[in-house]
Amino acid sequence: METTQDYVMVSLKLLGALGLLIYGMKMMSDALQKMAGPQLRHILAKMTTNRVTGMLTGTMVTCAVQSSSATTVMTVSFVSAGLLTLSQAISVIMGANIGTTLTAWIMSLGYNVDLTNFVFPAFFFGMILIYRKRHRDIGDFLFGIAFMFLSLVMLSSAGKELDLAHNEAVVNFFASFDTSSHLTILAFLAIGTLITCIVQSSAAVMAITILLCSTGVLPIYLGIALVMGENIGTTATANLAALGANTQARRAALAHLLFNVFGVLWVLCVFYPFVDMVCGLVGYDPSMAGQTERLPVVLAMFHTCFNVTNTALLIGLISQMERIVCWLLPEKAEPEHEELRLKYIEGNLIQTPEIAVLQAQKETAHFAQRVQQMFGMVRQLMDEKDEKNFVHLFSQIEHQEDQTDRMELEIARFLEQVSQNHLSDETKAKVRQMLREVGELESIGDACYNLARTINRQRETGKDFNEWQNGHLKSLMTLCDNALTQMNKVMTGHRHEHDINETYRIENEINLLRQRMKNDNIRAVNDHEYDYAVGTIFIDLVNECEKLGDYVVNVVQARFGK
């Protein structure tokens, strides 16, 4: 009974150590992403000019944040936001698989080196930095890495206390498996995949594998089968995150799965010679008992050789992989009155606040393009003579107005969630600017709808504008469209590439033309060129166009931070 209690206590210690490992790695990864948020997005966006630089970028970023899942989900987010092409994303994901091998080496180090001398000073200095809010992210990083190293020390200690090598039942259990059978290898591969999918942490599965191998109860072939399964299971994180995302994001996540599945398939074809080759690199003989201290190194070496070789085999076939995932996940045709679906913001994709702000910027720019398209419908409505087409076009404008209202709310809600995170002052300013931008863009949508309703009211009276009125209204609407075009240039480009004075110039032209049209309208009504009711509708259209121009100026000013 006492022995059973001992095993229960050690097992609880083992589970606690695994929980601490997962928490420590997440804390360290999140802190690093916060510290390097803007730099990471620039690195991923600029250093992926070709497949080799993309692969190296993925490797470097994953080594930095110590999480291939974080890099992969980040990459899927970038694809969703249109910041990376699918082929660029595939090369980054390949690099992420290489970068994640560093984690295995750190763990193998933790089983061979006493890390307690580092852990406690890291906790002390981390606590000081956390309370000094300016350096909170560095403190979080130190706490995270200290938790990770402490968990490795605890795992190693728990492994020794379990003393599984002298537990006859456990030894006999693992000895009952035929390590020379591919069916056994496939079974352990499936177990590794399943466990990784459940715990959502390849690091935890790697830690369990190293623990079992280092005690000498788990044969190296079965340990390596678990590691191969972990490579497939780790793709679940990105695929789950991409479930509600756009097609391109789901394709990137699927490419990650295909890449790892292909790697596992070719390794299975040459499994025993490949494992023996890896064992030979670290001087380990699988046929000899003992040498358990080298087993963590063998697992880390296999993980590295597997991912490096797989990348070398597939890096030249990125275009073919892209075609396969596009064939497996084709684009779906969207209905005319589709439900609102934001193009770049995916609420279920996990990302750093800095990257989330970048996605919101892209979505806001897309919002700006939509309101200009809506204004284009209004201009078509002015010229539409066919009753059926007029009703259909007016219905579309009504639908678009409803969509702009919902877009404003969705983007604002997303920005509010982002602002609850720990943000830099610069990022906070960007969030405030975007909240102002989306409010003004929604007002442009309202102005477009008001113009459409006024045009509809004029049509219901059965009275047409004369040639002078039509000509001047078209001139005014052309100026408004020019203002919207300039606004979209500012929204999609960098601020330093544009001059706000161009927007002011167009706005001044709109105001001058509006004033001239109002004066001429009063004269025309007094001279009985048309009746007062037609003149009122005419001026309503003129005033609404002038309001639209004002909203455009407000958007551009917000973009320039004025």
Side-chain angles (χ1 to χ4, degrees):
M1 186 69 184
E2 195 173 296
T3 308
T4 305
Q5 285 182 339
D6 288 343
Y7 272 119
V8 169
M9 291 306 297
V10 175
S11 298
L12 289 173
K13 182 179 177 181
L14 192 65
L15 290 171
L18 283 172
L20 195 61
L21 172 69
I22 295 169
Y23 177 73
M25 290 202 70
K26 186 179 185 310
M27 192 175 186
M28 180 179 71
S29 178
D30 288 349
L32 279 165
Q33 289 176 68
K34 284 178 185 177
M35 284 190 285
Q39 288 75 21
L40 282 180
R41 77 172 185 230
H42 292 311
I43 288 168
L44 282 173
K46 292 181 179 179
M47 289 186 64
T48 52
T49 50
N50 60 59
R51 60 191 66 187
V52 176
T53 57
M55 182 269 292
L56 292 173
T57 302
T59 304
M60 180 178 63
V61 171
T62 306
C63 286
V65 301
Q66 274 302 291
S67 172
S68 61
S69 293
T71 305
T72 307
V73 172
M74 199 187 304
T75 304
V76 170
S77 300
F78 271 52
V79 174
S80 175
L83 299 168
L84 288 179
T85 64
L86 183 56
S87 59
Q88 287 174 323
I90 293 171
S91 65
V92 172
I93 287 167
M94 287 180 175
N97 277 276
I98 295 174
T100 194
T101 61
L102 180 63
T103 307
W105 285 106
I106 291 172
M107 287 184 181
S108 67
L109 177 73
Y111 276 84
N112 293 302
V113 177
D114 185 6
L115 297 170
T116 49
N117 292 333
F118 169 83
V119 168
F120 298 110
F123 275 130
F124 176 74
F125 289 111
M127 182 188 67
I128 293 172
L129 292 170
I130 286 171
Y131 277 97
R132 294 185 64 187
K133 292 185 179 179
R134 212 173 95 182
H135 302 293
R136 180 176 175 178
D137 291 336
I138 301 173
D140 284 343
F141 167 73
L142 284 174
F143 252 65
I145 200 168
F147 277 137
M148 185 180 77
F149 285 159
L150 179 62
S151 68
L152 292 175
V153 172
M154 290 169 65
L155 282 169
S156 179
S157 170
K160 290 172 184 174
E161 286 181 45
L162 279 172
D163 194 23
L164 294 176
H166 295 96
N167 187 311
E168 192 174 341
V170 175
V171 172
N172 289 337
F173 172 75
F174 285 110
S176 66
F177 292 101
D178 182 7
T179 57
S180 63
S181 169
H182 271 85
L183 285 175
T184 304
I185 302 302
L186 285 170
F188 273 78
L189 189 150
I191 292 168
T193 303
L194 184 63
I195 295 173
T196 309
C197 288
I198 293 169
V199 301
Q200 287 287 292
S201 172
S202 57
V205 181
M206 178 63 78
I208 293 169
T209 308
I210 291 176
L211 173 68
L212 290 172
C213 284
S214 64
T215 57
V217 297
L218 183 67
I220 190 61
Y221 292 114
L222 302 186
I224 283 175
L226 287 175
V227 172
M228 288 165 62
E230 166 250 306
N231 274 274
I232 296 176
T234 194
T235 65
T237 306
N239 278 280
L240 286 171
L243 278 178
N246 60 28
T247 305
Q248 284 294 89
R250 284 186 285 121
R251 285 171 176 171
L254 179 61
H256 187 207
L257 174 62
L258 292 179
F259 172 77
N260 283 7
V261 167
F262 174 82
V264 167
L265 289 175
W266 72 256
V267 168
L268 284 173
C269 294
V270 292
F271 183 75
Y272 294 102
F274 189 79
V275 173
D276 291 342
M277 181 271 292
V278 172
C279 290
L281 289 175
V282 295
Y284 175 78
D285 186 354
S287 63
M288 290 179 63
Q291 300 179 307
T292 54
E293 71 280 353
R294 291 192 182 180
L295 287 173
V297 180
V298 174
L299 290 171
M301 180 61 78
F302 171 82
H303 201 210
T304 303
C305 291
F306 168 77
N307 283 296
V308 170
T309 308
N310 200 30
T311 300
L313 289 172
L314 289 179
I315 197 164
L317 302 173
I318 287 177
S319 300
Q320 287 75 7
M321 287 182 68
E322 185 176 7
R323 281 200 289 271
I324 290 170
V325 293
C326 288
W327 175 71
L328 290 171
L329 289 173
E331 287 280 4
K332 292 181 181 177
E334 293 184 350
E336 185 180 348
H337 284 336
E338 80 279 6
E339 286 300 308
L340 176 68
R341 182 184 178 86
L342 299 181
K343 187 174 181 180
Y344 299 110
I345 290 174
E346 306 293 346
N348 62 324
L349 284 180
I350 308 162
Q351 65 267 301
T352 63
E354 300 286 350
I355 294 169
V357 167
L358 193 63
Q359 285 182 282
Q361 282 181 335
K362 296 280 286 186
E363 195 66 64
T364 306
H366 178 234
F367 190 3
Q369 291 167 357
R370 286 189 69 148
V371 295
Q372 184 169 15
Q373 290 168 3
M374 188 177 174
F375 184 71
M377 292 180 187
V378 173
R379 296 180 75 185
Q380 288 178 40
L381 200 69
M382 277 282 295
D383 298 326
E384 189 55 64
K385 303 302 180 188
D386 183 80
E387 182 65 27
K388 186 178 178 181
N389 290 342
F390 184 93
V391 171
H392 175 70
L393 195 55
F394 184 75
S395 171
Q396 282 188 304
I397 293 170
E398 280 187 313
H399 178 71
Q400 287 298 319
E401 198 276 334
D402 179 59
Q403 296 288 67
T404 57
D405 289 345
R406 292 173 64 192
M407 278 191 82
E408 178 200 16
L409 290 174
E410 290 295 324
I411 296 172
R413 188 178 293 121
F414 180 79
L415 287 170
E416 284 172 359
Q417 289 174 350
V418 173
S419 64
Q420 291 171 6
N421 291 283
H422 178 59
L423 302 175
S424 64
D425 291 339
E426 182 187 356
T427 305
K428 286 177 185 174
K430 285 180 183 176
V431 170
R432 287 194 296 270
Q433 287 171 17
M434 276 186 283
L435 285 170
R436 184 179 161 198
E437 285 166 14
V438 294
E440 298 294 343
L441 287 169
E442 192 275 332
S443 296
I444 294 174
D446 287 345
C448 289
Y449 181 51
N450 290 337
L451 285 167
R453 289 172 60 195
T454 306
I455 294 167
N456 186 50
R457 194 171 88 234
Q458 180 247 338
R459 192 181 184 89
E460 288 173 349
T461 65
K463 296 179 180 180
D464 294 328
F465 292 137
N466 63 24
E467 188 178 342
W468 175 85
Q469 287 174 309
N470 277 321
H472 278 71
L473 277 174
K474 286 181 180 178
S475 297
L476 184 60
M477 286 189 170
T478 298
L479 282 173
C480 288
D481 194 57
N482 291 343
L484 286 164
T485 300
Q486 180 61 24
M487 176 190 78
N488 274 303
K489 286 180 181 176
V490 171
M491 294 292 287
T492 54
H494 296 288
R495 283 181 297 184
H496 65 269
E497 296 172 352
H498 302 284
D499 185 1
I500 196 171
N501 291 320
E502 178 61 19
T503 296
Y504 290 152
R505 184 191 65 77
I506 299 171
E507 168 65 6
N508 189 48
E509 286 188 30
I510 291 172
N511 289 339
L512 290 173
L513 182 57
R514 178 209 60 172
Q515 193 57 49
R516 191 162 70 247
M517 290 168 74
K518 288 179 77 170
N519 293 337
D520 289 346
N521 179 68
I522 293 170
R523 179 194 53 75
V525 170
N526 288 334
D527 292 346
H528 305 290
E529 292 180 19
Y530 45 79
D531 63 32
Y532 182 80
V534 172
T536 301
I537 293 172
F538 175 74
I539 287 302
D540 284 347
L541 289 172
V542 172
N543 286 336
E544 206 61 55
C545 283
E546 194 273 334
K547 285 181 187 176
L548 188 148
D550 289 342
Y551 297 141
V552 169
V553 171
N554 293 341
V555 172
V556 174
Q557 285 180 333
R559 179 78 175 110
F560 276 90
K562 294 183 180 292

